């Protein structure tokens, strides 16, 4: 086992353990947690046994294990972008809702203040 | 604030004017509106100029977004505000000076009489508007697109001058914050089977309104925004 394998397996295992701890401590939901844990365990196995990626690649009709990793990385990146975009849209909708609510509450408050001022002025005027 | 001395329909009609950095034109627009229509609200969409102050000084109520959220978001804020304050009819009116307050009575009549739920202004019916050629081509493409996507047979899909009954506004839920709201409104008119009519209105193209209007690239942005809004609805 070379230095890269030792480092890669150690890091992947650490991340897998952190994900499991996250699920146990309820900071991660079980389904995404399981997906992340599977990803890190798969990374550790691929680093420990590089020939295994060749076997999987050939089973899928791809010649080289490195190509399989590359394609999976591209696919993962696009899925990541999509998930981020969906989250950003939800945040955007939330921000608009907050801005709208604040704007209407402030406008209503201003109208009430004006009405109160006019009412107080009309009550004062007969005695002036 | 509604004025009880005005005819009932005018007093209960809220004119919603979404505005973003419109200090140059807003004062004249509001004063022209207020000459005949007592109840006008400016939705200041996070402007960095004196839009809010000018709107208020000209006699409009002002509702201010703390940050810019887009014209669709501003209109939805105006709708929500109007419903909260008891408006019976709502009109959307652009702040850049391209619409004429003289068209409002004709636009509102079918809504006030209860014949339709929505009256949409059209610059392609009767009235001759001085429309730049490229703008005309874009608008005609939008008409074809709307006919395909919503089934509505109308002549002008992106006219900011509209009159809506309270019941129609209660059904609208605009999610497209930016410019795709025009198509979204038409989609919702179709999906809620609202009764609608097109009314000829005059659109005036000034150097300011052309500068603020959409170019060809914006049209593609609107299209993408619209498609995404439909996917993520």
């Amino acid at each position: 086992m070379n230095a890269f394998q030792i480092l890669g397996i150690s890091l992947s295992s650490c991340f897998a353990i952190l994900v499991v701890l996250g699920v146990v401590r309820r900071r991660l939901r079980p389904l995404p947690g399981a997906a992340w844990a599977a990803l890190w365990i798969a990374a550790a196995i691929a680093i420990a046994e590089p020939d295994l990626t060749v076997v999987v690649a050939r089973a899928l009709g791809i010649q080289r294990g490195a190509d399989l990793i590359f394609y999976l990385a591209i696919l993962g990146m696009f899925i990541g972008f999509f998930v981020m975009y969906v989250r950003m849209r939800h945040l955007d909708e939330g921000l608009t809702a907050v801005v709208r609510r604040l704007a209407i509450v402030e406008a209503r408050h201003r109208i009430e203040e004006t009405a109160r001022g006019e009412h107080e002025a009309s009550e004062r005027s007969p005695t002036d | 604030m509604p004025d009880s001395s005005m005819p009932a329909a005018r007093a209960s009609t809220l004119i919603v004017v979404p505005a973003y950095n419109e200090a140059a034109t807003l004062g004249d627009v509001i004063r022209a509106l207020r000459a005949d229509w007592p109840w006008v609200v400016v939705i200041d969409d996070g402007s960095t100029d004196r839009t809010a102050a000018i709107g208020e000084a000209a006699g409009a109520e002002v509702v201010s977004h703390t940050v810019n959220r887009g014209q669709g978001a501003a209109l939805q804020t105006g709708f929500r505000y109007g419903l909260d304050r008891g408006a019976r009819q709502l009109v959307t009116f652009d702040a850049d000076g391209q619409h004429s307050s003289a068209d409002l009575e004709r636009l509102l009549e079918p809504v006030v009489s209860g014949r339709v739920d929505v009256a949409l202004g059209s610059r392609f019916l009767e009235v001759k508007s001085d429309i730049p050629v490229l703008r005309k081509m874009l608008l005609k493409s939008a008409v074809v697109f709307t006919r395909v996507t919503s089934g509505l047979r109308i002549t002008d899909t992106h006219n900011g001058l509209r009159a809506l009954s309270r019941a129609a506004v209660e059904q609208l839920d605009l999610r497209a914050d930016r410019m795709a709201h025009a198509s979204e409104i038409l989609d919702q008119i179709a999906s809620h089977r609202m009764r609608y009519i097109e009314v000829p209105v005059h659109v005036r193209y000034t150097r300011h309104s052309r500068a603020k209007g959409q170019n060809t690239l914006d049209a593609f942005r609107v299209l993408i925004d619209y498609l995404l809004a439909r996917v993520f609805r």
Side-chain angles (χ1 to χ4, degrees):
Chain A
M1 197 172 280
N2 59 38
F4 172 75
Q5 284 178 310
I6 294 168
L7 186 68
I9 293 166
S10 306
L11 278 175
S12 301
S13 306
C14 283
F15 280 122
I17 291 166
L18 282 175
V19 168
V20 172
L21 283 175
V23 173
V24 171
R25 290 175 184 168
R26 292 169 187 250
R27 287 182 184 171
L28 263 178
R29 281 176 292 158
L31 201 63
W36 278 113
L39 183 79
W40 290 119
I41 290 166
I45 293 170
I47 293 167
E49 288 293 337
D51 292 344
L52 211 59
T53 60
V54 180
V55 175
V56 177
R58 288 198 175 145
L60 292 171
I62 305 164
Q63 289 306 306
R64 298 188 309 169
D67 288 343
L68 173 72
I69 303 288
F70 179 72
Y71 295 151
L72 286 177
I74 296 281
L75 191 67
M77 211 165 67
F78 277 111
I79 292 171
F81 283 150
F82 180 74
V83 170
M84 292 297 284
Y85 179 75
V86 171
R87 284 190 184 175
M88 206 183 73
R89 273 194 83 92
H90 281 143
L91 274 174
D92 227 31
E93 281 182 14
L95 178 61
T96 299
V98 170
V99 168
R100 176 171 299 133
R101 178 114 186 105
L102 186 66
I104 291 175
V105 166
E106 278 179 352
R108 199 181 297 153
H109 184 70
R110 228 175 16 246
I111 289 166
E112 284 167 4
E113 291 260 294
T114 309
R116 198 177 304 131
E118 283 171 0
H119 179 69
E120 283 170 7
S122 70
E123 278 192 337
R124 266 200 311 271
S125 59
T127 56
D128 287 344
Chain B
M1 199 63 144
D3 179 351
S4 59
S5 66
M6 296 288 286
R10 284 179 186 256
S12 60
T13 298
L14 176 64
I15 318 281
V16 178
V17 184
Y20 175 62
N21 289 345
E22 295 284 7
T25 54
L26 188 67
D28 290 341
V29 168
I30 300 301
R31 277 186 289 276
L33 280 170
R34 288 270 296 154
D36 293 312
W37 301 88
W39 197 12
V40 180
V41 62
V42 171
I43 311 298
D44 167 31
D45 189 21
S47 299
T48 50
D49 64 4
R50 298 188 63 248
T51 291
I54 288 170
E56 200 156 8
E61 293 175 12
V62 175
V63 176
S64 290
H65 284 176
T66 43
V67 287
N68 178 256
R69 299 306 300 152
Q71 196 180 35
L75 278 182
Q76 182 65 26
T77 299
F79 290 161
R80 190 71 54 80
Y81 180 77
L83 292 177
D84 281 0
R85 305 261 291 122
R88 294 178 65 86
Q89 296 83 222
L90 292 97
V91 171
T92 64
F93 197 99
D94 286 355
D96 58 7
Q98 65 170 276
H99 296 148
S100 166
S101 58
D103 288 326
L104 287 187
E105 202 156 320
R106 184 155 59 152
L107 187 75
L108 265 163
E109 190 280 324
V111 175
V112 172
S113 68
R115 281 193 289 126
V116 297
D117 305 305
V118 183
L120 302 162
S122 171
R123 73 202 93 178
F124 298 113
L125 292 170
E126 292 176 31
V127 184
K128 290 279 176 224
S129 296
D130 179 26
I131 309 166
V133 179
L134 190 61
R135 180 78 44 105
K136 199 169 186 171
M137 284 166 60
L138 276 176
L139 290 167
K140 289 293 178 190
S141 309
V143 166
V144 175
F145 182 77
T146 301
R147 204 162 286 180
V148 172
T149 55
S150 70
L152 294 190
R153 299 182 73 81
I154 56 176
T155 60
D156 191 355
T157 57
H158 282 69
N159 195 312
L161 191 51
R162 314 170 187 87
L164 306 100
S165 68
R166 181 182 176 87
V169 173
E170 279 170 347
Q171 293 184 79
L172 286 181
D173 177 25
L174 302 185
R175 296 278 188 87
D177 285 348
R178 304 283 162 191
M179 294 309 292
H181 68 274
S183 300
E184 200 181 20
I185 288 174
L186 297 176
D187 274 359
Q188 293 189 22
I189 288 172
S191 65
H192 291 297
R193 297 177 188 280
M194 294 180 196
R195 295 166 303 156
Y196 67 92
I197 192 172
E198 276 194 298
V199 175
V201 297
H202 186 264
V203 172
R204 193 171 54 238
Y205 286 94
T206 61
R207 187 177 292 177
H208 177 76
S209 73
R210 284 181 204 218
K212 294 281 285 192
Q214 293 160 31
N215 56 35
T216 316
L217 187 64
D218 289 333
F220 283 107
R221 285 198 193 117
V222 170
L223 180 65
I224 290 168
D225 197 20
Y226 168 76
L227 293 174
L228 288 172
R230 281 192 79 146
V231 169
F232 289 99
R233 214 181 148 69

